[in-house]
Amino acid sequence: MEPDIFILLLAIPLVSGALLTVLGEREWAPNLNIIASGGTFLASVLLTADIVAHGPRFALGEQFFIDSMNVFFVTLTAFVGMTTSIFSGPYMKNEREHGRLSAPRLRLYKSMFQMFMFTMLVALTTNNMGILWVAMEAATLTTVLLVSLYRTPASLEAAWKYFILCGVGIAQALFGTILLYFAAERVLGETGNALLWTHLVDVKSQLEPHIMALSFIFLLVGYGTKVGLAPLHNWLPDAHAEGPTPVSAVLSGLLLNVALYAILRCKVLADGAVSPDFAGNLMMGFGLLTLLMAAFFLGRQKDIKRMFAYSSIEHMGLITFAFGMGGAVANYAGFLHMTMHSLTKSAIFFAVGHATQKTGTQLIADIRGLIHINPLIGWSLMLGTLAILGMPPFGVFASEFMILTHAMKHYPWTTPILLTALGVAFAQIFGKVQPMVFGETHAKPLPHAPAITPVFLHLALVLMIGLYIPPYLTRWFHEAARMLG
């Protein structure tokens, strides 16, 4: 791997975040945010091409490691970050016109957005389990500032709840990391390599099983808090509802994925040290509990962003369940579903952001006639909803079908639970979205035209993958699934 490419990948969001901290109030600052995000995406594509051509590589000594499991997550993260920056340009201008944001808060948003991207990329590419924890903690701090951007009592309460719950979770993950180091030091010695994932994988069968079992429990609970797994999921609906919509898009589309990625790295170690059933059963249990809880809580939501936040919790529960089952098919389906959920849910939040600005409310009962206000917004919300509910031919259908069929074959007792949860979620979401799209309305046009291109770009990719998965994506899913065992 060319070291310059990797350094460029991390340097662009870090440097641009620092520049936007000082210059974020200038008129051209939104364009700088988009250019920086585009540069990060270009660097991720070059990095992916290099890894595909030459295989896994180390960077900065052995502190960073890029392989088939994380390189496409890097590209996905950079892509969603780029489209979100494009979406947020006119969205934030409209928020400024409505008097909800001041110039200093817009500067804070742009700078923290880039710093959030930096922390996500560090978490995905680091080889050091300690640096992984630091990056996840830094991501928490940056997103707390983004969630509280409006400075309303509700947004401050949501940010505080997010900080407390994720702080408790990240503390559990720290204790799990300490236990992991304690187990590894007995085998690797005091060489400084006891937290490097590549070294841990080589000796995973020699790690003390009781310590590793306890370590994985703390890591699962800790990072699972950021995934949105029940019962420590309460921060997620509030953070989505009270923060700016671009923040909701990156929280659902990126942060949840990165936290689950951290759990998967830990699961590989636990499978080798304890047994595949131990970590797998824990993940299946948390996944089913989360899926059921989210499905039945969907019907109680009156805020559109809270509703789709619970939809994110539901899908992360399903993905966690898939990886808990393990095996080639379930792991393949889990990676596919992570990708489809990131693209679809971010597109939905883009559409929801424009819809709430058009109607001036987030209350589901007060949003009507989107297809008459702006047909593109109305159809994008409806198509995104059908996609996330698993309707064919969208890609979510393919991944959910693979998860269900694998569960029917190997864990038939879970089939009624999965079908019930998915059926309830479908009925609740579709029943609420349909009247929002169709009906009479008297909403006024926005002062700045919304950015619809990112919405349909995401949905087009989800539709394409539902009809045809490109060979290079298939190779990645297979390779990533093989690395999980």
Side-chain angles (χ1 to χ4, degrees):
M1 177 180 64
E2 293 291 337
D4 293 344
I5 299 175
F6 176 75
I7 293 173
L8 190 65
L9 178 74
L10 297 185
I12 290 175
L14 181 62
V15 173
S16 59
L19 286 174
L20 288 168
T21 301
V22 179
L23 306 173
E25 295 184 28
R26 305 293 179 87
E27 291 185 4
W28 44 263
N31 294 330
L32 175 59
N33 193 35
I34 295 172
I35 292 170
S37 300
T40 303
F41 175 63
L42 178 60
S44 70
V45 171
L46 295 174
L47 179 64
T48 301
D50 184 77
I51 297 301
V52 169
H54 303 105
R57 294 289 189 276
F58 290 97
L60 302 181
E62 291 188 326
Q63 297 304 310
F64 290 87
F65 178 68
I66 299 91
D67 60 8
S68 297
M69 194 198 303
N70 62 6
V71 70
F72 277 89
F73 277 122
V74 169
T75 306
L76 178 63
T77 298
F79 175 75
V80 174
M82 179 183 68
T83 55
T84 303
S85 68
I86 296 171
F87 158 77
S88 65
Y91 180 87
M92 287 303 185
K93 287 181 181 178
N94 286 321
E95 292 293 271
R96 179 75 186 277
E97 293 284 343
H98 292 159
R100 300 191 69 191
L101 290 174
S102 62
R105 290 181 193 169
L106 285 175
R107 181 182 65 196
L108 176 66
Y109 165 77
K110 299 181 192 81
S111 60
M112 287 300 103
F113 181 86
Q114 290 298 326
M115 295 306 296
F116 172 76
M117 294 302 300
F118 171 73
T119 58
M120 291 293 92
L121 293 172
V122 170
L124 285 171
T125 56
T126 185
N127 190 33
N128 190 310
M129 301 300 288
I131 295 178
L132 172 62
W133 181 88
V134 172
M136 294 300 295
E137 174 69 1
T140 300
L141 297 177
T142 56
T143 44
V144 163
L145 295 173
L146 291 172
V147 170
S148 64
L149 195 66
Y150 290 128
R151 297 297 191 272
T152 62
S155 67
L156 291 173
E157 180 185 351
W160 181 249
K161 181 184 290 186
Y162 172 46
F163 178 73
I164 294 298
L165 285 177
C166 287
V168 171
I170 210 72
Q172 306 298 313
L174 175 61
F175 189 63
T177 304
I178 293 171
L179 289 174
L180 175 61
Y181 177 80
F182 181 66
E185 190 183 27
R186 294 184 170 189
V187 179
L188 296 172
E190 298 181 4
T191 60
N193 298 327
L195 281 179
L196 296 182
W197 189 81
T198 49
H199 289 262
L200 290 168
V201 168
D202 292 338
V203 299
K204 60 184 179 181
S205 60
Q206 303 174 43
L207 300 177
E208 211 286 320
H210 294 92
I211 297 177
M212 284 302 300
L214 191 60
S215 172
F216 182 77
I217 291 173
F218 278 101
L219 289 165
L220 176 61
V221 173
Y223 290 131
T225 302
K226 297 191 77 69
V227 176
L229 298 181
L232 295 175
H233 64 282
N234 293 323
W235 66 270
L236 200 150
D238 288 349
H240 281 63
E242 302 304 332
T245 302
V247 177
S248 302
V250 293
L251 282 176
S252 274
L254 302 181
L255 181 64
L256 307 188
N257 272 3
V258 174
L260 185 54
Y261 162 82
I263 293 176
L264 294 179
R265 288 290 195 191
C266 300
K267 180 180 183 292
V268 172
L269 303 177
D271 286 347
V274 189
S275 72
D277 292 337
F278 172 75
N281 289 340
L282 280 175
M283 293 181 69
M284 286 175 61
F286 274 104
L288 286 176
L289 174 64
T290 304
L291 178 62
L292 275 173
M293 181 280 305
F296 284 98
F297 268 81
L298 278 167
R300 301 177 57 185
Q301 305 312 309
K302 298 179 181 180
D303 183 296
I304 184 172
K305 290 172 71 176
R306 286 182 67 89
M307 180 182 72
F308 282 113
Y310 272 102
S311 171
S312 295
I313 296 172
E314 172 214 350
H315 283 278
M316 296 314 292
L318 182 62
I319 296 168
T320 303
F321 171 79
F323 286 121
M325 287 192 295
V329 175
N331 289 336
Y332 182 100
F335 282 116
L336 177 61
H337 201 75
M338 287 176 79
T339 307
M340 294 299 94
H341 176 259
S342 290
L343 294 173
T344 308
K345 190 56 63 66
S346 52
I348 287 175
F349 276 114
F350 295 160
V352 166
H354 293 317
T356 55
Q357 283 189 333
K358 281 279 189 181
T359 57
T361 179
Q362 293 181 191
L363 295 177
I364 294 173
D366 295 336
I367 300 176
R368 291 292 182 269
L370 290 175
I371 201 167
H372 300 297
I373 301 172
N374 187 315
L376 290 177
I377 294 177
W379 280 116
S380 62
L381 179 59
M382 179 55 70
L383 290 174
T385 300
L386 292 175
I388 205 63
L389 291 176
M391 290 293 289
F394 292 101
V396 178
F397 169 78
S399 56
E400 286 188 351
F401 183 79
M402 293 174 68
I403 293 171
L404 279 171
T405 52
H406 189 79
M408 288 177 183
K409 181 177 180 180
H410 297 281
Y411 302 93
W413 61 271
T414 65
T415 304
I417 301 175
L418 293 171
L419 291 177
T420 300
L422 293 175
V424 170
F426 185 99
Q428 300 284 12
I429 294 177
F430 190 76
K432 291 178 182 293
V433 170
Q434 189 176 11
M436 285 192 285
V437 175
F438 305 100
E440 297 298 327
T441 182
H442 302 287
K444 298 179 181 179
L446 293 171
H448 299 279
I452 295 295
T453 302
V455 182
F456 287 100
L457 177 59
H458 283 214
L459 293 179
L461 289 172
V462 173
L463 177 61
M464 181 197 75
I465 294 176
L467 296 171
Y468 169 73
I469 302 179
Y472 60 86
L473 270 184
T474 301
R475 286 196 300 271
W476 170 62
F477 290 139
H478 278 301
E479 180 63 21
R482 184 194 62 78
M483 293 179 67
L484 289 182

